[in-house]
Amino acid sequence: MTSNRLKFTASMYAMMSISFWGVSFVSTKAVLGILDPYSLLVIRFGIGALFLFLLLLMQRYSLLVSIKYIPHLMILGILGVFVHQLLQATALLTIDASSAGWLISFSPIFTVILSILFLHEKMSIMKSIGMVLAITGVILVTTTRSGQSFQLSMNIGFLLMILSTLNWAVYSVLLKSLKIPYPPIVVTFYMCLLGLILTTPLIIRNRGWETLSLLNHLEWAHLLFLGVFVSGIAYWYWAKALEILEASKVSMFLYLEPIATLIAAVLLLNEKFFS
């Protein structure tokens, strides 16, 4: 496959990932009224890990990994799956889905900075323009939606979302720099499995399984989407994109994520852009 075709394919993987992640805020918001955020994460990771495991079996991938890379997988799983999703699910208790989507625009900014510092990637004019537009867009959205000044419209949910974007930038740069010599689907499976293991005590503590019977068919559909497409396929495709493209270039696709979130929030949650 030629270099340009590889880059195009990697771009499509990144595009699909951000589309699924954009809608994920809406699906998460849709079930948070029934499930607590921690029980939701356990079920997500469980569905995602099972889906990836079945996919690995069908494609006959080996699940054996060298003990040398177990610490790498643990770090990626803790940062990219456990901490990241915990921050976002908690943030969505206090902010709406479309605002969460717009705040993701901070992630490419952090990724570009970290990529320059640690991966020795170069700053370009397009990256600079993107960073300025992202900051401007987030400020306009937060002030327009609240009708207040930027400082007054901030709350713990906004701060948690911004923290999650910094965390995601660290994860993306680590995933690129660690160069784990296994297929992205294998790496993603172990990350998802680790997320399941780390969050299981939370559902036990909260007795989250007792609320599962309260979910209707639509809410179960949201859960399946979060498990299969968001926790499984999106992470897998993101890793595949990072195999080919620079971390800072892959992160640029995150600027499109708020659009997917906004469309899904308006269609599925009846959110209004202007309040």
Side-chain angles (χ1 to χ4, degrees), residues 20-21 24 27-28 31 40-53 85 188 192 219-236:
F20 294 146
W21 284 329
S24 74
S27 291
T28 300
V31 295
L40 168 61
L41 291 180
V42 179
I43 297 167
R44 271 186 61 174
F45 296 144
I47 295 172
L50 178 60
F51 167 75
L52 291 170
F53 178 70
Q85 297 300 335
T188 306
C192 199
E219 288 157 349
W220 271 109
H222 281 295
L223 274 180
L224 287 173
F225 171 76
L226 287 169
V228 173
F229 290 94
V230 179
S231 295
I233 295 176
Y235 272 90
W236 173 26

Side-chain angles (χ1 to χ4, degrees), residues 25 52 55 61 64 94 112 126 158 181 195 209 235 253 256 262:
F25 295 112
L52 291 170
L55 206 57
Y61 280 98
L64 296 177
T94 56
V112 168
M126 289 305 297
F158 280 85
W209 62 85
Y235 272 90
F253 286 92
L256 301 176
L262 182 60

Side-chain angles (χ1 to χ4, degrees), residues 4-264:
N4 287 338
R5 190 171 178 183
L6 275 174
K7 290 179 179 179
F8 175 78
T9 302
S11 298
M12 290 300 99
Y13 282 132
M15 181 77 75
M16 284 186 280
S17 292
I18 64 99
S19 297
F20 294 146
W21 284 329
V23 180
S24 74
F25 295 112
V26 174
S27 291
T28 300
K29 194 75 175 179
V31 295
L32 276 180
I34 308 293
L35 294 176
D36 66 271
Y38 313 114
S39 299
L40 168 61
L41 291 180
V42 179
I43 297 167
R44 271 186 61 174
F45 296 144
I47 295 172
L50 178 60
F51 167 75
L52 291 170
F53 178 70
L54 293 175
L55 206 57
L56 286 167
L57 289 182
M58 287 189 292
Q59 298 188 9
R60 299 185 178 181
Y61 280 98
S62 172
L63 290 173
L64 296 177
V65 296
S66 169
I67 193 170
K68 171 184 176 182
Y69 293 102
I70 290 179
H72 299 63
L73 292 171
M74 291 183 67
I75 291 171
L76 291 173
I78 291 170
L79 286 179
V81 177
F82 177 65
V83 173
H84 186 69
Q85 297 300 335
L86 201 63
L87 287 171
Q88 289 195 352
T90 306
L92 282 169
L93 292 173
T94 56
I95 62 175
D96 56 44
S98 50
S99 290
W102 283 106
L103 288 167
I104 286 294
S105 298
F106 273 117
S107 192
I109 298 171
F110 293 133
T111 305
V112 168
I113 294 170
L114 292 176
S115 297
I116 292 171
L117 291 176
F118 298 104
L119 298 178
H120 308 295
E121 295 180 6
K122 296 180 179 179
M123 172 66 78
S124 66
I125 295 177
M126 289 305 297
K127 290 176 184 177
S128 302
I129 293 173
M131 291 169 67
V132 172
L133 289 177
I135 294 172
T136 304
V138 170
I139 292 174
L140 287 175
V141 168
T142 52
T143 54
T144 302
R145 294 180 66 84
S146 65
Q148 304 173 26
S149 68
F150 180 65
Q151 291 82 2
L152 292 176
S153 67
M154 294 290 284
N155 61 26
I156 188 64
F158 280 85
L159 295 175
L160 288 174
M161 277 302 305
I162 293 172
L163 186 58
S164 80
T165 63
L166 173 58
N167 177 78
W168 184 256
V170 173
Y171 161 76
S172 294
V173 170
L174 278 176
L175 184 60
K176 181 74 175 179
S177 63
L178 289 176
K179 301 183 186 299
I180 300 176
Y182 296 103
I185 189 173
V186 175
V187 174
T188 306
F189 165 70
Y190 280 112
M191 287 169 46
C192 199
L193 183 62
L194 182 61
L196 174 62
I197 294 170
L198 291 174
T199 52
T200 295
L202 299 176
I203 197 173
I204 295 174
R205 184 195 66 183
N206 296 337
R207 302 177 69 86
W209 62 85
E210 295 178 351
T211 57
L212 291 178
S213 61
L214 302 177
L215 296 172
N216 59 34
H217 295 303
L218 180 59
E219 288 157 349
W220 271 109
H222 281 295
L223 274 180
L224 287 173
F225 171 76
L226 287 169
V228 173
F229 290 94
V230 179
S231 295
I233 295 176
Y235 272 90
W236 173 26
Y237 282 2
W238 192 255
K240 287 172 74 71
L242 283 169
E243 275 192 318
I244 307 299
L245 299 174
E246 293 180 348
S248 55
K249 288 183 178 179
V250 175
S251 73
M252 291 294 132
F253 286 92
L254 289 168
Y255 289 133
L256 301 176
E257 187 171 335
I259 300 173
T261 303
L262 182 60
I263 293 171

